[in-house]
Amino acid sequence: MHCFKKITDDLTWVGVNDRRLAMFEGVYSVPDGVSYNSYLLNDEKTVLFDTVDEAVRQRFFENIAEALGGRKLDYLVVHHMEPDHSAAILDLTALYPDMKIVCNEKTLEFMRQFFDLDIKSGVVVVKENDTLETGRHTLRFIMAPMVHWPEVMVTYDEADKSLFSADAFGCFGALNGALFADEVNFEKDYMDEARRYYANIVGKYGTQVKALLGKLAGLDISLICPLHGFVWRKKIGDYIAKYTLWSDYTPEEYGVMIAYASVYGNTENAAEILACRLRDRGIKTAMYDVSVTPSSDIVSAAFRFSHLVFASTTYNAGIFVAMDEVLSDLVAHNIQNRVVAVIENGSWAPTSGCLICEKLAACKDLNILENTVSIRSALKAEQLSEIDGMADAIAATLPAVLKKEDLATTAPDAIEPQAMFKFSYGLFVLTAKDGDKDNGCIINTAIQITEKPYRISVAVNKANYTHDMILKTGVFNISVLSESAVFAVFEQFGFHSGRDTDKFSGVEYDDRTANGIRYLPKYTNGVISGSVSASFDYGTHTVFIADVTQAFVLSNEPSVTYQYYFNNIKPKPPAPKEQKKGFICRICGYLYEGEALPADYLCPLCKHGVEDFEEQ
Ligand code: FEO
């Protein structure tokens, strides 16, 4: 019986899950299964995007037949020729003889290698940015060589802003009845598998993934349909942000991955003691016994953490066999830009430390610490200071925030500006009214300060007209923006001054609270009215303390955070053709071109100062 899921009115997931596969690609365990995704577009022409693995093709054919509803299949777009997505092509050509295959030259070459098939007549060969009109939809083809094979391409549907992303943005794990990433707790339940998928399948090809991300940067993407795992329709920017980190070999988090090989437990003991010493210094650790942990898990952890420790016994005058395999895997996957420390063990001729360093010399940008700890059979009490020394050396390469003892002795006025970005700001539209004039601006500084009575504070930049209105009238509303907010809201209330524009021009609603002040009934989840009880002048800003006079919940959508805004709402600047020296405003994306940013510079769009610009 067919089993498919609708994505939009005319797009259907017709893929199949496989929970019997022991080893994906013959090498990666998939304990939670895997999905082979395929998508059918029912436009004036019908288009199938990719096929599935040999093992599940029967259910796949049932899905296609049902989703087509008796229509013929006009096109098969082949994004990737790896057999887990192409195995059913041959049978498909027999089932749908009028079907044309849409692919690039390299795909055609691979197709001829895999199949004995005369495919000359029914092929449409496409190149970068070629398009295919299917009725309402225009499909644009974008080449993505080496993400994961050389023939890979992706398709952008200009009508629905959907990206058919081939192996990019995939994930291990069967779908279990869900289809969209927002139907599950992806961060908690699937991010580890997404990282393991990325690191092991395309981790080696960071440069090529970056090239694809560059091509996608200028596209407005509402839906990502990968070949494995969930379809993305929300928080797309968050997932792209992960890909940006991974493809750049930038660690996701500060912390130490300790991989150890221990025959009789003595090397493990040294690794455990190091882990304790690191934790004592406030440093996150994760430990893996290479003899029992699949290499793909360790490769994944190496992509996650900033620091890697390898502890290995010497075996047959070399590195212990399982550790040797893990290191080979890491080198093959191009791991780079990490701090590394090594512990070796050997009862008569410890050599594994040197050999590990030699092996890792093939990796770029590894900072291999000099404090190698060398053990003879078992760690002795007099060597504990060496483990402490290694923990200190690792801590010294971490940001100061992790070194508790250093903070006490740092200059009392030392300030890391980046620490300010650790505040979990929300975003709000602050509205006020003076006579007949309504106005509003975007702020990120509204907080509750007491409960009895309900009292809040807002800090408002004096450059904002809303500031002057509140100073004069003493009343305001805060509309709490939710994740449904679109960029136009930020443009409307954040990029112009109410002194010379009507912020509510073109707005179809005129909703007000009892104080007569407007609020936003849309893109928000709450409105709070304040009556100022005190105000404090802090130079650039006034801090208003206000009693809450009314407060209402408008929706149950999550409040938007600064991070969410950057990742998911603010449009990504198009990939620059040539890199110009300049500084980008983190708030609105405005680019200041020039060698140096004047100290008193204010963003002409959003009025934020130099502290919110970063050099590009
Ligand atoms: Fe799932 Fe590279 O194929």
Side-chain angles (χ1 to χ4, degrees):
M1 171 62 80
H2 63 272
C3 178
F4 58 68
K5 297 202 83 167
K6 277 277 190 192
I7 298 174
T8 62
D9 284 348
D10 54 9
L11 184 66
T12 307
W13 175 82
V14 290
V16 185
N17 292 295
D18 184 354
R19 297 178 187 81
R20 287 201 166 178
L21 182 69
M23 301 300 273
F24 183 80
E25 292 187 2
V27 63
Y28 305 118
S29 58
V30 278
D32 299 320
V34 67
S35 71
Y36 303 111
N37 295 343
S38 170
Y39 305 91
L40 181 73
L41 181 66
N42 264 305
D43 199 4
E44 286 172 27
K45 298 287 184 186
T46 57
V47 185
L48 183 69
F49 297 96
D50 298 297
T51 73
V52 297
D53 190 79
E54 172 93 4
V56 296
R57 62 185 169 163
Q58 199 48 46
R59 182 63 31 77
F60 173 61
F61 292 141
E62 290 176 45
N63 288 349
I64 298 171
E66 184 66 22
L68 277 170
R71 298 184 68 191
K72 68 187 179 80
L73 182 57
D74 294 305
Y75 294 106
L76 167 68
V77 175
V78 181
H79 291 115
H80 187 15
M81 269 306 291
E82 193 163 10
D84 54 336
H85 310 295
S86 67
I89 291 178
L90 208 54
D91 288 344
L92 210 60
T93 57
L95 283 169
Y96 301 98
D98 296 332
M99 174 190 83
K100 286 190 166 52
I101 295 174
V102 181
C103 65
N104 59 46
E105 278 291 356
K106 196 72 184 169
T107 303
L108 198 53
E109 182 187 322
F110 283 3
M111 219 178 291
R112 290 192 173 113
Q113 289 175 196
F114 275 106
F115 307 128
D116 290 324
L117 171 67
D118 181 9
I119 42 180
K120 280 194 287 294
S121 54
V123 174
V124 180
V125 175
V126 295
K127 304 184 300 302
E128 182 81 23
N129 278 323
D130 281 357
T131 55
L132 176 70
E133 308 280 341
T134 63
R136 187 173 75 82
H137 297 260
T138 299
L139 306 178
R140 184 140 69 88
F141 304 105
I142 299 167
M143 302 302 127
M146 296 318 298
V147 184
H148 153 223
W149 280 17
E151 86 294 0
V152 171
M153 67 179 193
V154 302
T155 297
Y156 180 65
D157 171 7
E158 293 179 353
D160 285 352
K161 306 182 191 320
S162 310
L163 177 72
F164 298 90
S165 63
D167 272 351
F169 306 110
C171 182
F172 289 136
L175 300 179
N176 303 331
L179 177 59
F180 298 102
D182 56 272
E183 293 179 274
V184 298
N185 189 336
F186 193 87
E187 180 68 33
K188 175 174 168 284
D189 296 330
Y190 289 92
M191 189 55 85
D192 285 347
E193 283 297 79
R195 183 187 305 105
R196 190 166 70 92
Y197 173 90
Y198 175 87
N200 289 280
I201 305 301
V202 286
K204 177 181 176 62
Y205 306 111
T207 306
Q208 292 84 352
V209 174
K210 271 168 76 89
L212 175 61
L213 293 177
K215 290 181 184 182
L216 302 182
L219 299 180
D220 183 7
I221 298 171
S222 302
L223 196 69
I224 295 182
C225 302
L227 285 176
H228 298 288
F230 296 98
V231 170
W232 288 78
R233 63 183 172 185
K234 292 184 179 173
K235 300 190 176 184
I236 286 173
D238 287 351
Y239 204 30
I240 291 178
K242 286 282 183 194
Y243 263 63
T244 304
L245 286 180
W246 293 336
S247 62
D248 210 21
Y249 302 97
T250 300
E252 268 175 270
E253 58 183 309
Y254 292 117
V256 183
M257 181 207 80
I258 303 175
Y260 65 89
S262 188
V263 179
Y264 296 108
N266 291 308
T267 311
E268 179 185 38
N269 175 241
E272 291 269 21
I273 293 170
L274 174 66
C276 292
R277 298 292 194 266
L278 291 168
R279 285 280 173 176
D280 289 346
R281 288 160 175 76
I283 298 168
K284 187 171 184 177
T285 52
M287 296 188 69
Y288 300 90
D289 181 338
V290 298
S291 296
V292 295
T293 307
S295 182
S296 64
D297 285 2
I298 298 174
V299 170
S300 178
F303 271 72
R304 177 177 188 168
F305 290 110
S306 57
H307 289 59
L308 314 177
V309 172
F310 301 100
S312 178
T313 187
T314 303
Y315 198 78
N316 288 335
I319 305 168
F320 185 76
V321 58
M323 176 64 82
D324 201 32
E325 284 169 11
V326 163
L327 293 167
S328 296
D329 225 5
L330 285 168
V331 172
H333 286 88
N334 224 351
I335 192 71
Q336 49 191 274
N337 188 30
R338 297 293 189 275
V339 178
V340 172
V342 176
I343 298 173
E344 67 174 2
N345 195 355
S347 291
W348 60 94
T351 55
S352 55
C354 254
L355 294 170
I356 288 171
C357 294
E358 278 173 24
K359 193 142 193 162
L360 291 175
C363 300
K364 283 202 298 189
D365 299 328
L366 291 189
N367 172 11
I368 301 180
L369 300 177
E370 290 172 358
N371 312 52
T372 293
V373 175
S374 185
I375 303 166
R376 291 277 180 159
S377 302
L379 193 75
K380 296 290 183 250
E382 58 269 24
Q383 280 192 293
L384 286 175
S385 60
E386 291 181 41
I387 297 286
D388 274 318
M390 178 175 279
D392 284 340
I394 288 170
T397 60
L398 286 164
V401 285
L402 292 180
K403 293 179 284 172
K404 288 184 286 190
E405 65 279 12
D406 283 1
L407 290 187
T409 55
T410 320
D413 57 351
I415 289 175
E416 278 186 32
Q418 292 303 322
M420 296 299 157
F421 289 99
K422 301 300 180 190
F423 280 119
S424 53
Y425 295 107
L427 287 163
F428 316 91
V429 176
L430 176 71
T431 45
K433 183 173 188 291
D434 182 11
D436 292 336
K437 173 80 173 171
D438 295 304
N439 198 42
C441 64
I442 300 280
I443 61 165
N444 62 352
T445 51
I447 52 169
Q448 180 183 346
I449 50 176
T450 62
E451 186 182 351
K452 291 179 181 160
Y454 285 114
R455 191 171 278 152
I456 56 176
S457 77
V458 293
V460 190
N461 192 313
K462 289 178 181 173
N464 287 315
Y465 184 36
T466 312
H467 166 273
D468 296 358
M469 285 181 159
I470 297 173
L471 207 57
K472 182 174 172 190
T473 64
V475 282
F476 60 82
N477 282 344
I478 295 167
S479 299
V480 184
L481 290 167
S482 69
E483 288 184 358
S484 65
V486 295
F487 186 62
V489 175
F490 296 87
E491 287 183 302
Q492 185 174 357
F493 290 100
F495 291 6
H496 314 282
S497 170
R499 293 181 207 286
D500 37 55
T501 55
D502 175 5
K503 294 279 188 92
F504 288 91
S505 155
V507 171
E508 74 275 18
Y509 51 83
D510 183 12
D511 298 68
R512 296 174 188 269
T513 50
N515 58 12
I517 297 174
R518 297 179 81 145
Y519 69 93
L520 271 67
K522 201 174 165 190
Y523 308 124
T524 51
N525 59 18
V527 57
I528 295 157
S529 300
S531 174
V532 174
S533 57
S535 60
F536 300 92
D537 186 332
Y538 286 109
T540 57
H541 289 66
T542 298
V543 175
F544 296 105
I545 310 296
D547 293 320
V548 173
T549 54
Q550 280 191 306
F552 301 102
V553 172
L554 301 178
S555 83
N556 289 322
E557 285 179 332
S559 299
V560 78
T561 62
Y562 232 38
Q563 196 63 47
Y564 187 91
Y565 167 78
F566 287 126
N567 287 348
N568 298 290
I569 297 176
K570 186 168 85 71
K572 303 284 177 284
K577 295 232 170 351
E578 62 176 286
Q579 190 83 353
K580 287 185 179 161
K581 175 83 175 158
F583 300 81
I584 287 184
C585 175
R586 284 186 240 261
I587 310 301
C588 67
Y590 179 79
L591 172 67
Y592 172 90
E593 288 179 22
E595 288 296 316
L597 196 61
D600 58 349
Y601 189 73
L602 275 186
C603 175
L605 292 183
C606 66
K607 305 287 185 304
H608 282 73
V610 291
E611 65 278 5
D612 287 319
F613 279 75
E614 64 186 1
E615 195 169 350
Q616 68 152 8

